[in-house]
Amino acid sequence: MKRILNKVRGSGALPARPNRWQIVAGLIGGSVGIGLIAVLAHAQNLPLLMAPFGATCVLLFAAPDTPLAQPRNVIGGHLVSSLVGLLFLKYVGVGPLEMGLAVGLAIALMQATRTLHAPAGADPLVVLMSGKAGWSFLFAPVFASAVILVLVAIVVNNVGQNKQWPRYWF
Protein backbone atom coordinates (compact mmCIF):
# COMPACT_ATOMS: atom_id res chain seq x y z
CA MET A 1 0.00 0.00 0.00
CA LYS A 2 2.85 2.38 0.81
CA ARG A 3 4.33 1.76 -2.64
CA ILE A 4 1.06 2.72 -4.30
CA LEU A 5 0.74 5.87 -2.19
CA ASN A 6 4.29 6.86 -3.11
CA LYS A 7 3.42 6.57 -6.79
CA VAL A 8 0.33 8.76 -6.60
CA ARG A 9 1.47 11.48 -4.22
CA GLY A 10 3.33 13.38 -6.93
CA SER A 11 6.93 14.48 -6.86
CA GLY A 12 6.96 17.55 -9.09
CA ALA A 13 6.51 21.19 -8.29
CA LEU A 14 3.53 23.31 -9.23
CA PRO A 15 4.25 25.06 -12.55
CA ALA A 16 4.96 28.78 -12.47
CA ARG A 17 2.09 31.18 -12.96
CA PRO A 18 1.80 32.25 -16.60
CA ASN A 19 2.98 35.77 -17.38
CA ARG A 20 0.44 38.50 -18.12
CA TRP A 21 0.71 38.13 -21.89
CA GLN A 22 0.01 34.40 -21.71
CA ILE A 23 -3.10 35.09 -19.63
CA VAL A 24 -4.26 37.82 -22.03
CA ALA A 25 -3.54 35.56 -25.03
CA GLY A 26 -5.78 32.89 -23.47
CA LEU A 27 -8.53 35.43 -22.91
CA ILE A 28 -8.29 36.89 -26.40
CA GLY A 29 -7.78 33.60 -28.23
CA GLY A 30 -10.60 31.76 -26.50
CA SER A 31 -12.98 34.69 -26.84
CA VAL A 32 -12.21 35.42 -30.48
CA GLY A 33 -12.02 31.75 -31.51
CA ILE A 34 -15.30 30.62 -30.00
CA GLY A 35 -16.94 33.99 -30.64
CA LEU A 36 -16.07 33.86 -34.34
CA ILE A 37 -17.37 30.32 -34.67
CA ALA A 38 -20.58 31.28 -32.85
CA VAL A 39 -21.14 34.33 -35.08
CA LEU A 40 -20.52 32.28 -38.24
CA ALA A 41 -22.80 29.53 -36.96
CA HIS A 42 -25.58 32.02 -36.34
CA ALA A 43 -25.09 33.91 -39.61
CA GLN A 44 -24.92 30.78 -41.77
CA ASN A 45 -27.38 28.73 -39.71
CA LEU A 46 -24.76 25.98 -39.42
CA PRO A 47 -24.03 23.78 -36.40
CA LEU A 48 -20.40 24.83 -35.95
CA LEU A 49 -20.10 24.69 -32.15
CA MET A 50 -19.51 21.68 -29.96
CA ALA A 51 -18.25 21.61 -26.39
CA PRO A 52 -14.83 20.03 -27.04
CA PHE A 53 -13.81 23.17 -28.95
CA GLY A 54 -13.75 25.06 -25.65
CA ALA A 55 -11.14 22.62 -24.38
CA THR A 56 -9.27 22.93 -27.69
CA CYS A 57 -9.02 26.67 -26.98
CA VAL A 58 -7.39 25.94 -23.62
CA LEU A 59 -4.61 24.04 -25.38
CA LEU A 60 -4.27 26.42 -28.34
CA PHE A 61 -4.12 29.61 -26.29
CA ALA A 62 -2.87 28.59 -22.84
CA ALA A 63 -0.47 25.78 -23.78
CA PRO A 64 0.34 26.41 -27.47
CA ASP A 65 3.79 24.81 -27.39
CA THR A 66 2.54 21.38 -26.37
CA PRO A 67 2.27 18.64 -29.01
CA LEU A 68 -1.47 18.37 -28.35
CA ALA A 69 -1.92 22.01 -29.45
CA GLN A 70 -0.35 21.76 -32.90
CA PRO A 71 -2.50 22.12 -36.04
CA ARG A 72 -2.03 18.50 -37.09
CA ASN A 73 -3.29 17.35 -33.70
CA VAL A 74 -6.17 19.82 -33.46
CA ILE A 75 -7.59 19.21 -36.92
CA GLY A 76 -6.58 15.56 -37.31
CA GLY A 77 -7.57 14.59 -33.77
CA HIS A 78 -11.05 16.03 -34.13
CA LEU A 79 -11.52 14.39 -37.55
CA VAL A 80 -10.31 10.96 -36.42
CA SER A 81 -12.37 10.96 -33.23
CA SER A 82 -15.52 12.27 -34.86
CA LEU A 83 -15.20 9.65 -37.60
CA VAL A 84 -15.03 6.95 -34.93
CA GLY A 85 -18.18 8.39 -33.35
CA LEU A 86 -19.99 8.40 -36.68
CA LEU A 87 -18.95 4.83 -37.46
CA PHE A 88 -20.25 3.67 -34.09
CA LEU A 89 -23.46 5.65 -34.52
CA LYS A 90 -24.13 4.18 -37.95
CA TYR A 91 -22.83 0.61 -37.61
CA VAL A 92 -22.14 -0.44 -34.00
CA GLY A 93 -24.51 1.17 -31.50
CA VAL A 94 -24.90 3.93 -28.96
CA GLY A 95 -25.10 2.16 -25.59
CA PRO A 96 -22.79 2.65 -22.62
CA LEU A 97 -20.36 -0.08 -23.70
CA GLU A 98 -20.23 1.31 -27.22
CA MET A 99 -19.54 4.80 -25.86
CA GLY A 100 -16.60 3.54 -23.84
CA LEU A 101 -15.23 1.51 -26.72
CA ALA A 102 -15.63 4.44 -29.15
CA VAL A 103 -13.63 6.76 -26.88
CA GLY A 104 -10.95 4.12 -26.35
CA LEU A 105 -10.70 3.44 -30.08
CA ALA A 106 -10.54 7.17 -30.84
CA ILE A 107 -7.64 7.55 -28.40
CA ALA A 108 -5.80 4.59 -29.91
CA LEU A 109 -6.32 5.84 -33.46
CA MET A 110 -5.18 9.35 -32.56
CA GLN A 111 -2.05 7.85 -31.04
CA ALA A 112 -1.45 5.64 -34.09
CA THR A 113 -1.91 8.56 -36.50
CA ARG A 114 0.10 10.98 -34.34
CA THR A 115 -2.90 13.30 -34.06
CA LEU A 116 -3.49 13.00 -30.30
CA HIS A 117 -5.62 15.91 -29.09
CA ALA A 118 -7.19 15.48 -25.66
CA PRO A 119 -10.37 17.50 -26.28
CA ALA A 120 -11.11 15.36 -29.34
CA GLY A 121 -11.43 12.36 -27.06
CA ALA A 122 -14.91 13.66 -26.26
CA ASP A 123 -16.00 13.84 -29.90
CA PRO A 124 -17.33 10.27 -30.11
CA LEU A 125 -19.53 11.03 -27.11
CA VAL A 126 -20.84 14.19 -28.77
CA VAL A 127 -21.74 12.19 -31.88
CA LEU A 128 -23.25 9.24 -30.03
CA MET A 129 -25.23 11.38 -27.60
CA SER A 130 -26.65 13.45 -30.47
CA GLY A 131 -28.03 10.25 -31.94
CA LYS A 132 -28.54 11.89 -35.30
CA ALA A 133 -25.23 13.24 -36.67
CA GLY A 134 -24.67 12.60 -40.35
CA TRP A 135 -21.50 12.33 -42.40
CA SER A 136 -21.60 16.10 -42.98
CA PHE A 137 -20.74 16.44 -39.28
CA LEU A 138 -17.12 15.83 -40.31
CA PHE A 139 -17.15 19.06 -42.31
CA ALA A 140 -19.37 21.19 -40.09
CA PRO A 141 -18.72 21.50 -37.24
CA VAL A 142 -15.57 19.39 -37.05
CA PHE A 143 -13.27 20.41 -39.89
CA ALA A 144 -14.54 23.96 -40.40
CA SER A 145 -14.41 24.91 -36.74
CA ALA A 146 -11.06 23.24 -36.07
CA VAL A 147 -9.55 25.16 -38.99
CA ILE A 148 -11.03 28.43 -37.73
CA LEU A 149 -9.51 27.86 -34.29
CA VAL A 150 -6.11 27.06 -35.82
CA LEU A 151 -6.27 30.24 -37.92
CA VAL A 152 -7.07 32.34 -34.85
CA ALA A 153 -4.20 30.61 -33.02
CA ILE A 154 -1.80 31.48 -35.85
CA VAL A 155 -2.57 35.16 -35.26
CA VAL A 156 -2.74 35.20 -31.46
CA ASN A 157 0.22 32.90 -30.85
CA ASN A 158 2.55 34.85 -33.14
CA VAL A 159 2.12 38.27 -31.52
CA GLY A 160 5.51 39.37 -30.23
CA GLN A 161 9.07 39.08 -31.48
CA ASN A 162 9.98 35.84 -29.74
CA LYS A 163 6.77 34.00 -30.60
CA GLN A 164 6.58 31.25 -33.21
CA TRP A 165 3.61 28.99 -33.63
CA PRO A 166 3.00 26.32 -34.73
CA ARG A 167 5.97 24.14 -33.87
CA TYR A 168 5.12 21.82 -36.78
CA TRP A 169 2.34 21.06 -39.25
CA PHE A 170 3.02 17.50 -40.42
Side-chain angles (χ1 to χ4, degrees):
M1 182 64 147
K2 185 176 180 179
R3 206 166 94 192
I4 292 171
L5 290 175
N6 283 335
K7 286 184 175 189
V8 299
R9 71 178 175 165
S11 60
L14 182 66
R17 182 181 310 276
N19 65 41
R20 284 190 186 127
W21 168 246
Q22 289 170 313
I23 293 170
V24 170
L27 171 65
I28 292 170
S31 298
V32 170
I34 295 298
L36 181 59
I37 292 170
V39 166
L40 289 172
H42 181 73
Q44 298 298 318
N45 198 27
L46 288 172
L48 295 175
L49 279 175
M50 61 180 192
F53 289 138
T56 293
C57 286
V58 173
L59 290 174
L60 283 173
F61 305 113
D65 293 329
T66 64
L68 302 181
Q70 301 309 304
R72 170 191 179 96
N73 300 71
V74 172
I75 298 167
H78 280 297
L79 285 172
V80 166
S81 292
S82 293
L83 178 60
V84 168
L86 286 168
L87 290 170
F88 269 73
L89 178 66
K90 303 291 185 191
Y91 304 111
V92 180
V94 297
L97 294 176
E98 289 87 349
M99 288 181 178
L101 185 57
V103 169
L105 182 59
I107 292 168
L109 288 175
M110 285 190 289
Q111 288 176 306
T113 58
R114 299 183 340 177
T115 59
L116 189 63
H117 182 64
D123 292 0
L125 296 176
V126 170
V127 172
L128 294 174
M129 292 170 70
S130 81
K132 60 181 179 170
W135 296 111
S136 63
F137 186 84
L138 288 174
F139 178 73
V142 177
F143 180 75
S145 297
V147 168
I148 290 168
L149 291 177
V150 166
L151 292 174
V152 171
I154 287 171
V155 174
V156 171
N157 292 335
N158 282 302
V159 172
Q161 289 183 342
N162 297 326
K163 301 290 185 178
Q164 182 182 355
W165 190 88
R167 295 292 177 233
Y168 56 86
W169 283 89
F170 302 104

